[in-house]
Amino acid sequence: MELGIIILIVLELLIYFGLAERVINKLGLSKNLLLIFFTLMIVGSFIDIPISSTPDISINLGGTIVPVVLAIYILSKADDNIEILRSLIAVIITGGIIYALTQIYQFEEGHTFIDSNYLFPIVAGVTAYLIGHSRRASFIAGTLGFLIYDIIHLIKITLGGVPGQAAIGGAGIFDSIVISGVLAVLLCEVVGEIFERLISDRKQEKQQEFNQQFTRPDVEFGSLTEDEKNNTEDDDNRREEENEE
């Protein structure tokens, strides 16, 4: 069984038992809807739609069409146009970085540090998070970034005269799409949660400092400090002595 399918099954179990409610809400999805999309991706990963025989071009249902539909739906839930623009830019940059890596990094058993099937989605996931920032943008960039790479590869085959075949969203790309998208969201969730807590704690500290500053007896409105009280008492005593004289 492919790694991407295993990851999706694990995610479905987590979602089913209610262990990912926060992330699902941040993505603007419902639990049942996400379960449906993940199931369609799993089933669709076994379905390749032929497009051309010369050159050999096909589109994987679970690795292309379903993720694109899911991405469009998530984008429709974006808070503003800036988030949509940032998501699209993140997709393009992530795809460009993946393509650049394929040109400079070739996996060789026993000679390279990490298999490209794991290196590329890790780099894509980190890139998607750094550019996307939000969970929605990170997920979209992580999943669709590999489709950008596939499209570049397709253009080279059809217009560039480079021999080969293109299985868009399939032939190992499916695993990378799943790993990249999940990693991007996890990074955003973990790092975002840390920053949110730090900001929240800082706000509480400032509020406490503000409350302490304006509730101290010596700075309450209409009250006097010790020195002011002593000066007032001295003035009163001086007036009494003058009156007696």
Side-chain angles (χ1 to χ4, degrees):
M1 186 179 294
E2 295 181 356
L3 179 59
I5 295 177
I6 295 174
I7 293 175
L8 288 177
I9 291 174
V10 172
L11 289 176
E12 285 191 321
L13 291 174
L14 293 176
I15 294 170
Y16 180 78
F17 289 108
L19 300 177
E21 292 291 338
R22 173 185 167 86
V23 179
I24 295 172
N25 292 334
K26 291 290 184 179
L27 288 174
L29 299 171
S30 67
K31 181 174 74 173
N32 292 335
L33 185 60
L34 194 55
L35 285 172
I36 291 173
F37 270 112
F38 283 172
T39 301
L40 289 175
M41 286 182 68
I42 293 173
V43 175
S45 66
F46 299 99
I47 303 174
D48 289 316
I49 303 173
I51 302 298
S52 171
S53 58
T54 308
D56 186 7
I57 300 173
S58 63
I59 295 179
N60 185 268
L61 179 61
T64 303
I65 297 177
V66 177
V68 169
V69 173
L70 177 58
I72 293 173
Y73 182 81
I74 292 176
L75 272 180
S76 69
K77 300 294 182 179
D79 296 328
D80 48 47
N81 292 331
I82 294 177
E83 185 176 7
I84 295 176
L85 179 62
R86 189 171 65 240
S87 301
L88 297 177
I89 292 173
V91 169
I92 295 172
I93 294 177
T94 302
I97 290 177
I98 295 169
Y99 179 77
L101 279 175
T102 63
Q103 303 305 301
I104 62 177
Y105 184 89
Q106 297 296 327
F107 176 72
E108 295 181 9
E109 189 73 36
H111 293 85
T112 47
F113 176 69
I114 184 173
D115 192 330
S116 57
N117 290 331
Y118 301 109
L119 174 64
F120 293 171
I122 290 174
V123 172
V126 173
T127 303
Y129 160 69
L130 292 176
I131 301 174
H133 293 302
S134 72
R135 292 160 181 82
R136 278 190 287 259
S138 298
F139 178 78
I140 292 169
T143 53
L144 299 191
F146 278 92
L147 296 181
I148 295 295
Y149 159 73
D150 264 353
I151 290 173
I152 294 174
H153 179 61
L154 176 62
I155 292 173
K156 289 179 64 177
I157 292 175
T158 55
L159 301 180
V162 177
Q165 61 180 13
I168 303 174
I173 295 296
F174 178 82
D175 290 347
S176 298
I177 288 173
V178 174
I179 296 172
S180 177
V182 171
L183 179 60
V185 174
L186 284 177
L187 284 173
C188 198
E189 179 67 17
V190 173
V191 178
E193 178 71 12
I194 292 174
F195 274 108
E196 287 174 6
R197 292 198 175 191
L198 288 175
I199 293 173
S200 178
D201 292 343
R202 184 56 183 163
K203 285 183 178 179
Q204 290 180 359
E205 289 177 1
K206 286 185 176 182
Q207 186 63 40
Q208 290 176 356
E209 291 175 359
F210 179 84
N211 293 337
Q212 291 175 356
Q213 180 180 359
F214 287 93
T215 55
R216 280 168 26 205
D218 59 340
V219 294
E220 283 184 349
F221 181 76
S223 64
L224 300 175
T225 64
E226 278 303 316
D227 291 339
E228 290 173 334
K229 289 179 181 179
N230 292 333
N231 291 335
T232 302
E233 291 178 356
D234 291 342
D235 291 341
D236 292 341
N237 293 334
R238 192 178 299 110
R239 290 193 188 92
E240 290 178 359
E241 291 176 356
E242 290 176 355
N243 292 333
E244 289 176 356
E245 292 176 358

